[in-house]
């Protein structure tokens, strides 16, 4: 299952952060992480980050800086506001990018 499979899906109703957290929930210490990420939508993740990016960084804390760098390169920005107004990257692309980056960095471990 990919993170996009639960993103905005009628059965799951996951936001961007929840979709990434759900896919990679075994990497988090908090096993109820999906529910706790419900508020991280529309720029409400800490620092205004895209929720998908925030979830990816939290899943792979030891590679958080690299993940943020590569996410910015692929999506054009790191904050929800910049993504929506400047780069015009879709939320689906952000979720897929975050998912891909977690997969990439977990394979390196």
């Amino acid at each position: 299952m990919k993170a996009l499979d639960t993103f905005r899906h009628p059965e799951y109703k996951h936001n961007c952060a929840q979709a990434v957290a759900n896919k990679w929930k075994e990497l988090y210490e908090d096993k109820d992480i999906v529910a706790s990420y419900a508020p991280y939508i529309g720029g409400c993740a800490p620092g205004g980050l895209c929720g998908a990016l925030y979830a990816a960084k939290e899943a792979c804390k030891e590679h958080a800086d690299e993940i943020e760098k590569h996410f910015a390169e692929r999506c054009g920005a790191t904050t929800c506001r910049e993504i929506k107004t400047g780069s015009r990257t879709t939320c689906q692309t952000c979720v897929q990018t975050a998912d891909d980056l977690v997969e990439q960095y977990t394979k390196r471990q």
Side-chain angles (χ1 to χ4, degrees):
M1 178 180 284
K2 296 183 180 239
L4 273 177
D5 293 339
T6 65
F7 178 62
R8 295 183 179 159
H9 186 281
E11 182 180 343
Y12 302 99
K13 298 178 180 146
H14 287 163
N15 65 33
C16 56
Q18 288 176 304
V20 173
N22 183 64
K23 164 77 183 293
W24 298 101
K25 58 187 162 201
E26 73 275 358
L27 299 177
Y28 297 90
E29 291 178 24
D30 177 6
K31 299 307 174 199
D32 293 324
I33 197 72
V34 176
S36 68
Y37 278 11
Y40 298 162
I41 187 169
C44 292
L49 288 178
C50 165
L53 171 58
Y54 179 79
K57 289 175 61 171
E58 289 296 300
C60 293
K61 288 184 180 188
E62 63 279 359
H63 299 289
D65 291 339
E66 298 103 300
I67 287 173
E68 186 166 340
K69 176 183 175 239
H70 291 292
F71 184 92
E73 289 169 358
R74 294 180 192 178
C75 295
T78 59
T79 67
C80 191
R81 179 179 300 227
E82 292 171 327
I83 290 167
K84 288 182 177 181
T85 60
S87 73
R88 302 225 186 270
T89 302
T90 66
C91 293
Q92 289 83 353
T93 298
C94 291
V95 170
Q96 185 62 55
T97 300
D99 189 8
D100 291 346
L101 288 168
V102 174
E103 184 170 350
Q104 177 184 337
Y105 282 97
T106 55
K107 285 182 179 179
R108 293 182 181 187
Q109 296 177 359

